[in-house]
Amino acid sequence: MDRPLGNLLGLKHQQVRQLERLYRRKVPPAELVTPELARQLTEVSRDLRRQVGLLIDRAGAVAYVIVGDAKGLVIPLLPRERGVKGRLKGLRLIHTHLDASPINQDDLMDLALLRLDAVAAIAVTADGLPGVVEMAHLLPQAEDGRSWTILKADHIARLKVDFDLLVSSLEEELARVGATDGGDGRERAILIGVTGKSRAAAEDSLAELTELAHSAGLTVAAAILQHRPKFDPRFLMGKGKLSELVVQALQLGSDLLVFDAELSPSQVRSITDFTELKVIDRTQLILDLFAQRARSREGKLQVEMAQVKYLLPRLRGRDDALSRLTGGIGGRGPGETRLEIDRRRLQERLHRLQTDLKSVRAERKVRRGLRRRHGLPILSIIGYTNAGKSTLFNALTHAAVLAEDKLFATLDPTSRRLRFPREREVIITDTVGFIQDLPKNLLEAFKATLEELEDADLLIHVIDLANPRFEEQIAAVDRILTSLELTDKPVLKVFNKLDRVDPNLAALMTRIHQGVAVSAINPETLPPLISRLEDTVEEVVGEGKER
């Protein structure tokens, strides 16, 4: 015999037996609940003076009997399997309201968070009979700002609904509405910005997160911005908004939430447990994007080291971790938990990666020394990601470095010789792009690459003039140069994508920053830049000889 769950404290044996008998009842597939079962439920509820609820499966069997208190009940932990996108949980909640109150916010939150087929509240009359009944179910698409609808009748027998048909048609519609990814199999994500900053800054940041998501191969189902003067320490945003997100994810066929912030390990766990959705933050998205783009051994080592550093504090033990101990001969006692073993292995991997990267840095140092002995000036192209650095590098050197309209299209640094018209040769290097709030672990991991900038005689800062946020991007690059202690390096600002902007804006920016405006895809715009580079190199080299 199945046992009832919930608040059983103080119940008599006979009352518990009454609750257990509810498990024997069956409901026809087309009915929400039979009048007989509704009456038995309200009689038990009046006798206990507590809310009583039933979770009924698609076959009409009572899966759970739950006892609450006079004001509410707590649904137990249900199986986490989500199954196919657009699928509901396969359970409906039928419960009593002793005060004849309508379906409330807690009921609707249970409906959303647990993706129940339906939630019904039956009023208990003074003589213990079923009174007014209300049933709520989710909608495949929000209507008038609501993601659910409520049906009402003065008695369960007069609630005219074919429940089996309702649920099957609802799931079909949810699957149809959510299947808008063109069948390409890409993950569908909802992007979330929670901010206390100005709305304009938050919108810019969310727009950049959208570009990152597209570059990482995600389909962006929706982008949501919530302004909060104070962040929730557990969920970052309010529970009500999170429950709305769960419904929206179901309606859009999305299993992934991407937050435009760096979440703490406890926040990721809390949001994941609350929503039963996959949750990642901005840092994890950037790390994943870098992992996709890395091609060389060095790049892969750097990205993996950043990922390991990110993962270490986020390792989570299973609930049964303490029962899974290493033992046996020579291993008596508590031994190591699975979590401890995983953490130790990650730390060992991190140590090997650091050793390998030291070797890479030593090799780079040798190559830089050889270049120095040849006396060739070094020019390094820097700038915000997707500003056109690789395109400019290809245009100047006739190389074939990958250049795409994506964030972080190239990670691995490339060097080529460049001969100026006055027969002076230089080494020009294309480097990894920068971004706002570049993860600290990633910056540390790419030190081997960024050390190239330390030996540069001139930094060529490429700026996407067509980007409305180009001034913020200039500031972001300047902050990173400051953190790398490279502010003493001469910098030439090159305003790219001249073909896409008002010539007056380009003239103004070049005058303010003493830079050069070009279109990297148009060779006719490059001669002024080449001439300026040649003059600047001669100045820098001349100053070096004087010192």
Side-chain angles (χ1 to χ4, degrees), residues 240-259:
K241 191 66 177 178
L242 267 183
S243 64
E244 290 177 20
L245 278 175
V246 173
V247 178
Q248 196 167 0
L250 179 66
Q251 292 170 333
L252 296 172
S254 173
D255 274 344
L256 176 63
L257 303 180
V258 183
F259 280 81

Side-chain angles (χ1 to χ4, degrees), residues 307-319:
Q307 288 177 320
V308 170
K309 285 186 173 182
Y310 178 84
L311 183 60
L312 259 174
R314 288 165 171 79
L315 279 182
R316 183 182 184 184
R318 297 169 60 99
D319 294 336

Side-chain angles (χ1 to χ4, degrees), residues 259-303:
F259 280 81
D260 189 22
E262 183 163 349
L263 301 176
S264 68
S266 63
Q267 284 174 330
V268 172
R269 288 195 292 268
S270 296
I271 298 169
T272 301
D273 291 343
F274 190 80
T275 64
E276 293 193 5
L277 296 170
K278 182 180 174 184
V279 176
I280 67 173
D281 59 13
R282 179 187 177 91
T283 298
Q284 196 169 352
L285 179 63
I286 293 175
L287 288 174
D288 187 85
L289 179 54
F290 269 59
Q292 292 179 40
R293 297 283 190 266
R295 294 289 178 268
S296 67
R297 174 175 173 269
E298 176 189 354
K300 290 175 181 178
L301 284 172
Q302 291 172 136
V303 173

Side-chain angles (χ1 to χ4, degrees), residues 240-440:
K241 191 66 177 178
L242 267 183
S243 64
E244 290 177 20
L245 278 175
V246 173
V247 178
Q248 196 167 0
L250 179 66
Q251 292 170 333
L252 296 172
S254 173
D255 274 344
L256 176 63
L257 303 180
V258 183
F259 280 81
D260 189 22
E262 183 163 349
L263 301 176
S264 68
S266 63
Q267 284 174 330
V268 172
R269 288 195 292 268
S270 296
I271 298 169
T272 301
D273 291 343
F274 190 80
T275 64
E276 293 193 5
L277 296 170
K278 182 180 174 184
V279 176
I280 67 173
D281 59 13
R282 179 187 177 91
T283 298
Q284 196 169 352
L285 179 63
I286 293 175
L287 288 174
D288 187 85
L289 179 54
F290 269 59
Q292 292 179 40
R293 297 283 190 266
R295 294 289 178 268
S296 67
R297 174 175 173 269
E298 176 189 354
K300 290 175 181 178
L301 284 172
Q302 291 172 136
V303 173
E304 187 179 353
M305 188 171 88
Q307 288 177 320
V308 170
K309 285 186 173 182
Y310 178 84
L311 183 60
L312 259 174
R314 288 165 171 79
L315 279 182
R316 183 182 184 184
R318 297 169 60 99
D319 294 336
D320 57 350
L322 291 177
S323 67
R324 297 144 73 88
L325 306 175
T326 59
I329 301 299
R332 302 298 180 189
E336 285 184 297
T337 64
R338 181 80 259 166
L339 178 62
E340 287 169 338
I341 292 171
D342 291 342
R343 183 174 286 119
R344 177 167 51 78
R345 285 176 177 167
L346 272 182
Q347 287 170 337
E348 289 170 354
R349 180 62 183 156
L350 180 61
H351 178 71
R352 286 196 296 271
L353 288 168
Q354 289 170 333
T355 301
D356 290 345
L357 276 172
K358 281 181 182 177
S359 173
V360 168
R361 292 172 78 174
E363 292 170 9
R364 280 194 169 278
K365 191 173 182 180
V366 170
R367 288 201 296 271
R368 288 199 302 271
L370 289 172
R371 289 204 297 259
R372 278 294 177 200
R373 280 201 288 276
H374 285 94
L376 295 179
I378 299 171
L379 316 184
S380 288
I381 299 178
I382 63 169
Y384 211 79
T385 180
N386 206 30
K389 299 183 301 300
S390 296
T391 305
L392 181 62
F393 179 82
N394 289 338
L396 290 173
T397 64
H398 306 292
V401 172
L402 178 67
E404 294 182 298
D405 188 16
K406 291 182 178 179
L407 303 190
F408 301 113
T410 53
L411 294 185
D412 302 315
T414 307
S415 297
R416 293 286 188 276
R417 287 198 180 200
L418 173 64
R419 182 181 290 275
F420 286 136
R422 300 174 204 164
E423 300 302 315
R424 176 182 285 281
E425 278 196 342
V426 297
I427 299 290
I428 187 165
T429 303
D430 183 23
T431 60
V432 64
F434 297 153
I435 196 170
Q436 290 266 19
D437 306 318
L438 190 67
K440 184 181 177 183

